[in-house]
Amino acid sequence: MTHIDPTAEQFQAFKDLPRDTPIEMLNLVRFNDLANYPGDHELARDGLTGAQAYGLYGKHSAPVLDKVGGRIAWRGGFETTLIGPADEAWDAVFIAHYPSAGAFLAMVTDPDYKRAVVHRQAAVKTSRLIRCKPADKGASFG
């Protein structure tokens, strides 16, 4: 099963949580070998890779992320899974910070973002987008 966009139930659960507190979104993304644009999209026959399409998504969505006060808080390169499904490998791993859940919702409903998201949808084979509440950094797990 692939996970590219949230289901209606998942999006509602997100919206039901507080909107006025900071959030961090853990992003785990696996790319298609070749981008899968809709047939009528201007890039549908250009033979872009999923990584190239995701790069376009980043280029076109970054100004909207900045506009709502968001930022990439951490980015890393996947190496291996120590605990978890062995068949899950990720091409992009990062945490995006938003000043509030409302800022995230403003981003995903922004007209410029809506134009950019087609590149993400074409690029992604499967993904996980996990909302997290920021916590104080400490020296222990507890």
Side-chain angles (χ1 to χ4, degrees):
M1 176 177 225
T2 62
H3 303 278
I4 299 171
D5 294 314
T7 65
E9 295 82 14
Q10 289 170 322
F11 196 55
Q12 187 60 52
F14 179 94
K15 293 188 302 183
D16 287 344
L17 292 171
R19 295 186 186 189
D20 59 349
T21 59
I23 63 168
E24 292 176 342
M25 299 292 279
L26 172 62
N27 288 255
L28 305 172
V29 184
R30 176 75 179 193
F31 301 142
N32 287 316
D33 292 334
L34 291 175
N36 186 20
Y37 284 98
D40 62 345
H41 192 276
E42 64 184 296
L43 297 176
R45 287 172 260 310
D46 284 8
L48 295 179
T49 66
Q52 289 171 316
Y54 202 79
L56 290 172
Y57 166 68
K59 175 183 173 183
H60 296 291
S61 65
V64 185
L65 175 67
D66 186 56
K67 181 167 68 172
V68 301
R71 62 181 168 79
I72 302 302
W74 178 88
R75 180 186 329 262
F78 176 83
E79 291 184 330
T80 191
T81 298
L82 182 61
I83 299 173
D87 63 341
E88 288 190 350
W90 307 106
D91 296 309
V93 179
F94 62 96
I95 297 170
H97 173 84
Y98 298 88
S100 67
F104 176 85
L105 291 169
M107 181 186 76
V108 299
T109 58
D110 183 281
D112 289 334
Y113 182 85
K114 287 182 176 186
R115 284 187 290 279
V117 79
V118 69
H119 300 295
R120 182 186 188 284
Q121 292 164 332
V124 173
K125 182 175 187 175
T126 194
S127 64
R128 307 293 182 268
L129 184 57
I130 302 166
R131 177 179 166 162
C132 302
K133 178 172 64 172
D136 292 332
K137 295 178 181 166
S140 69
F141 296 110

